Amino acid sequence: MALVDVTKSCLDSISQISEHIEGSVLYLDAGSTQSFQFMGAFPLLLNHGVRAVCSLENMCSLDTVVDWNANSDPGRKVVVITSRLLSDAHRYILRCLSTHQAVRCCTVFTSISEVAHSAYADSPLGTDAFHEYESLLVQDYEELVRKGKENSRQTEGSNLKDEIKLEDEGWSRLASSEEDLSRPEASSRARDFIEENLIADTEDVGKKLIVSVHHFPMILCPFSPRVFVLPSEGSVGEAYLSVEHEDALSPGLPPLSTGLPSDGDDIPPGAILTANFLYHLAAKMDLKMEIFSLGDLSKTVGKVMTDMSSLYDVGRRKRSAGLLLVDRTLDLLTPCCHGDSLVDCMFSSLPRREKATSFTHLKSSQTQLKHSPSNLERASLDVQIPLAKILREEDYNTDHFRLLENIEAFLCGLDSGNSASQVLDLINLKNKIHNEKPLQFENEVFSGSFVSTENFRGTPYLEAILDRRTKDGTILVKKWLQEALRREKITVNVKSRPGFATKSELQPMVKALAKTQSSLLRNKGIIQLAAAALVAVDECNSARWEAFISAEKLLNVVSAGETSQSLAAQIGDLIHKSALVGLHGQKNGKLEASQGLLSFQDALLLMISGYILAGENFPTSGSEGPFSWQEEQLLKDSIVEAILENPSIAKLKFLHGLMDEIETNFRNIKSEESKETSSDQIDIDDFDDDEWGKWGDEDVDNKDDSKEQVYGDMQLKLELRDRVDSLFKFLHKLSSLKSRNIPLKDGAFSAENNFSGDPYASRGLLYKLLTRILSKNDVPGLEYHSSTVGQLFKSGFRRFGLGQAKPSLADQDIILVFVIGGINGVEVREAQEALSESGRPDIELILGGTTLLTPDDMLDLLLGKSSYF
């Protein structure tokens, strides 16, 4: 029987809709673009006859001629694939149709099912969501064309999409930020082509637009055939996982698993959308899931999936598989730490592509949950690999000149008589390129990305390094580069040491392999991966990562002591050092921390880890927190002092509304110090008799000003201490994870259960959980969700004494583990290690999560703009 392959299932799903996308102009939103990029779907789309692939959010009027040539007809078929709710994508779909006036058939594929649309609180669509949207889209489009036709009679050449008012049906109003169709940079012949088609199609409004909406669930980001996450810019990934209450930490994380029953009306949208996604993912992969859950939100998701099961599912012949749902809040320490993982280091070091737009609703539904936030903004999974940096400086100008010459030839070919101005602009642009580097242009054109299907002799690159440590991964990348150079018959004079891979070794190999265009195209997969590895092992990034590892190792060691005093002292020392680094950077005119040194935000992240460790090891040291009152007061004083001495290092959410006053106070203190310094240098002989006579009056005025300043300083310090007190109350909540999360209370997953003597070698929850499950040991809090039909059969057989025992997850040949809240690269490696140590090579383990978490993402979720704190 064929092995389970998530990437292949995604590509097969695209082939299944080939008749819909053939001959179409295809629009992808940001989430779908991320998904298709990771699975390497763009060549497949072109093979299935797609005429052009465009961005849904960033569409422009020139999309109408993106696939045009002299012998082609204008595109009459538009297909939209979106990872969002139809209500969120509506204004962009309508803008598409308003631009492509020749379109007669519009097909929309959404990753959100009809059931999820009807269950989502903010969606205006009902149980027959797709048919409702089809009629609504046709209505809005016909109104758009009618108003455009009326306006065209009054004003020649008016834009057909400028004026439209959508009814208050929950839709966001159409954004009118699009440029006019007749852009100046397009030639007159191209403009004539667009206008002729617009006029012809405006006269042919009688032909009704055919709209069809379908469900396309396989929009996910596969890092390998068995590891995936959800797109960061899709409705499922952005939906909040908890409402704001006492047990909630962040909208991007599940609440604490206190065991209290949740009201059905308070189910977070993220739970509903995740349940629907997993249900349809299993259906697409022909898997019949036996569902197990650990954590309160996971139980809710499992219950929703169970309620979706039907007799139809039971009757079909599917492969049996086990689904294990796990709450991220059961283990926050692992994603907060900087583990030994090349993939984690690369994603933390590489810049991310900025989001093109925001899908936040302008109007909220009346059924919106109380205290609910807007959609969560997660860090984009679309990293920008700086390929331009591996090219030589002279290559920049060569490539740019070639591109400009091609554009010039294109314009001359369209209209040789009217392209003089464009040619002149291109000549000026050439001169500008010759004089300076167009950095923005380089980033846009020469930025690489990860593609899971790029492989070396059948082995996908990403899959091979996903569970590798940093050193092992870079050595493997070096080996692939050497093989590629050997295949291309390229010789590079580099001193190579076996068992090591440094930047000085990798960079010349990458440059040599990318020297010619043909070699660059043939080896683009390994070149992109090697360029990403170069960023990760660069000294400025690796030094900071190593500093984090050293600090985290030290915190683990001191947390294993008998008292909490050493741990508190170590946290305080980290805060002091980070404050000194910030102060030193400010004196030098640099706000960033020096190489290899940790910033104040880094110290706060380490303090989060320290408090979690203290809660596990010293739960009763203080009355409220894991530290005594004296130890915690010293930590508070350190933070207050660090913020007052250098406000620029503390731009955090809990100081919102107070930063202006802190910075003003800091400037006043500095100005007073400079005045005192200058006054000491003034000679007393410089004063005349009149000034001596006014000396007493000035002294009285200075005393009054001094009193006001002292009062203001006291008020500011009191307000700042209140904010810092609230920070430590939040840290107390983090330290109580072990006591308040019911599955962790009995200590089944504690560090002392590890057989290694090194406390830093303690594994994450996922490793411990899989180890216990595969060895068929009891897991406290693990719940099995029997389907409605299964419960019916069991209750019937039980009458005759034939009741069946609860199935075991270890008996399944396929196990899908999904962490609600996200995973990281270290957990991928530890999951594979747990499977290898179990002696069960026959089990196919698939690991998924809401997103890929980095330590910086965790800081944002817990203390940043994405936190409830």
Side-chain angles (χ1 to χ4, degrees), residues 743-760:
L744 307 179
K745 271 190 173 181
D746 66 347
F749 303 111
S750 298
E752 58 263 24
N753 288 287
N754 291 317
F755 299 104
S756 174
D758 183 4
Y760 188 63

Side-chain angles (χ1 to χ4, degrees), residues 521-539:
L521 290 176
R522 282 194 299 268
N523 301 283
K524 61 183 183 300
I526 182 57
I527 290 175
Q528 291 185 129
L529 186 62
L534 281 171
V535 175
V537 300
D538 188 76
E539 192 173 357

Side-chain angles (χ1 to χ4, degrees), residues 183-192 411 414-415 418 422:
R183 293 181 57 170
E185 54 263 38
S187 71
S188 60
R189 183 175 175 182
R191 289 198 302 270
D192 293 341
L411 291 172
L414 282 177
D415 192 344
N418 294 325
Q422 288 91 339

Side-chain angles (χ1 to χ4, degrees), residues 393-444:
E393 186 173 354
E394 57 267 22
D395 292 336
Y396 292 134
N397 295 336
T398 301
D399 291 336
H400 293 161
F401 278 125
R402 287 176 182 172
L403 178 61
L404 294 173
E405 288 169 358
N406 291 337
I407 296 173
E408 181 181 340
F410 173 73
L411 291 172
C412 292
L414 282 177
D415 192 344
S416 58
N418 294 325
S419 64
S421 61
Q422 288 91 339
V423 173
L424 182 61
D425 291 339
L426 287 169
I427 293 173
N428 294 333
L429 184 57
K430 286 183 181 180
N431 295 330
K432 184 178 180 181
I433 290 176
H434 182 73
N435 295 328
E436 61 182 48
K437 291 184 181 179
L439 296 177
Q440 182 179 0
F441 184 73
E442 292 169 9
N443 289 335
E444 291 177 357

Side-chain angles (χ1 to χ4, degrees), residues 378-393:
R378 294 191 182 273
S380 176
L381 292 174
D382 190 3
V383 299
Q384 292 182 300
I385 302 175
L387 291 179
K389 291 184 178 180
I390 68 172
L391 301 176
R392 292 176 303 178
E393 186 173 354

